[in-house]
Structure formats: structure tokens, C-alpha cells
Amino acid sequence: MKENKSEFSYEVYDDISELNDKDARLLKKARVVTKEAYAPYSNFRVGAVAILENGETVTGTNQENASFPVGICAERVLLGTVATLHPQVPIDTMAISFTSGSQESDHPISPCGMCRQALMEYESRVQKPIRLILSGQTGKVFVIKTASMLLPLAFTNKELG
Ligand code: THU
């Protein structure tokens, strides 16, 4: 028997003022775009903004539904939009923020499991990492070098042969 070890590290900033201008601008947009979420059921509004390798900016917000499982997360709304409007263009960085009706938005949130799988698929599709910036409306900012770091031992298209 041997044990495999998988390590994960990410950058932690005290607040947005520690980021470079480009990252700070992207995070500000993610914070603002949360307003466009349709989240009448959870009151949890998520905003995602990506800067693409071609310089374009694309946004996504969560869109809920009275039939709850029909709802879709901000990150996957964004990925579908990028793939449709800018096919095969790599995503350089994606910033994700939120507001909530029941708690302070003073800490980062991290993509859900389904979104991690979708982010990884996009990385493999265009063969480029997606850098993530995670933060609430205020407070600490996490920066993750590549989305696939969030999904160790992932199921990938390689398994399908
Ligand atoms: N949500 C996202 O949009 N992204 C995530 O990574 C986590 C959760 C949405 C889904 C749902 O509309 C609401 O947040 C509460 O789960």
C-alpha cells in the first residue's frame, strides 16, 4: 500500500485593495453583477465575471426556477455564454462574488461541485487554466491558479476512452 498526497494552495488577500488594478476591476464587476441574479427562492445572488484571452468580458448570474433543480449557477451560465459567443477562446480569469438575504457577504464563496466539473471541462476544452478570484462584497479575497485544483481525482473525458 502507498498513500498518494494531493496538495492544494491558494493566495489569500486581506481585501480588494491588495489586488492589482486588473484583478480589482474584475472583482468589482462580479460584486456589482450579483444584482442581475434571479434568486427569489434562495435570496442568494451570485455574480461571475470572466476576462477572456481575447480581452472580452463576459458575465453570468444564477438563474433560479420554481422547479428548483432547473435553476443554474452563475458560473455555468457564464461558461455557456463564453462557449457560445466566443467559441474556443480561453478564459484568463473569472471573479465570483455574492450577496445573501440571510448573512453578511464578507467572506469568499467557492464554486459548487457541479460548477467545478464544468470549469474543468472548459479548461480541458481549450487547454488553458482558468484562474479564479473569490470574494464576497467585502473582506478577504482568495486567488486560485487553476479551477481544476478544486477537483482532485476528477472524472474526465479520458475515462470515456
Ligand atoms: N450558486 C451559484 O450560482 N454558484 C455556486 O457556486 C454556488 C451556488 C447559486 C445556486 C442557487 O441559485 C443559489 O446560489 C443558492 O444555492
Side-chain angles (χ1 to χ4, degrees):
M1 199 279 274
K2 73 172 178 117
E3 200 164 294
N4 283 348
K5 195 171 165 191
S6 156
E7 284 199 1
F8 168 57
S9 71
Y10 55 97
E11 297 161 9
V12 180
Y13 298 86
D14 277 340
D15 62 53
I16 195 170
S17 68
E18 291 186 359
L19 300 181
N20 65 40
D21 285 354
K22 202 175 155 208
D23 286 350
R25 238 179 288 127
L26 203 65
L27 176 54
K28 272 184 200 151
K29 280 189 185 151
R31 287 174 171 175
V32 171
V33 83
T34 55
K35 288 196 182 74
E36 307 309 330
Y38 176 67
Y41 306 104
S42 70
N43 246 316
F44 195 85
R45 297 161 176 275
V46 183
V49 179
I51 177 94
L52 311 188
E53 219 175 66
N54 65 4
E56 294 285 338
T57 299
V58 175
T59 60
T61 55
N62 55 326
Q63 300 294 318
E64 297 185 348
N65 193 284
S67 173
F68 293 174
V70 176
I72 178 165
C73 293
E75 296 89 329
R76 278 174 296 128
V77 168
L78 186 153
L79 288 173
T81 307
V82 170
T84 308
L85 295 180
H86 305 283
Q88 282 306 118
V89 179
I91 295 172
D92 184 78
T93 303
M94 185 188 300
I96 301 164
S97 188
F98 75 102
T99 63
S100 164
S102 59
Q103 57 166 316
E104 277 296 302
S105 175
D106 57 2
H107 57 277
I109 57 160
S110 189
C112 79
M114 199 182 272
C115 288
R116 292 175 192 210
Q117 185 76 26
L119 287 160
M120 211 188 57
E121 184 81 21
Y122 196 85
E123 288 188 338
S124 111
R125 199 166 158 179
V126 300
Q127 290 295 296
K128 284 277 169 65
I130 302 174
R131 192 168 154 265
L132 297 177
I133 300 175
L134 312 176
S135 186
Q137 295 293 319
T138 60
K140 287 202 178 352
V141 181
F142 296 168
V143 177
I144 297 170
K145 277 194 177 60
T146 162
S148 52
M149 288 173 87
L150 291 175
L151 206 53
L153 220 67
F155 181 81
T156 69
N157 51 14
K158 284 192 201 89
E159 269 72 59
L160 298 176

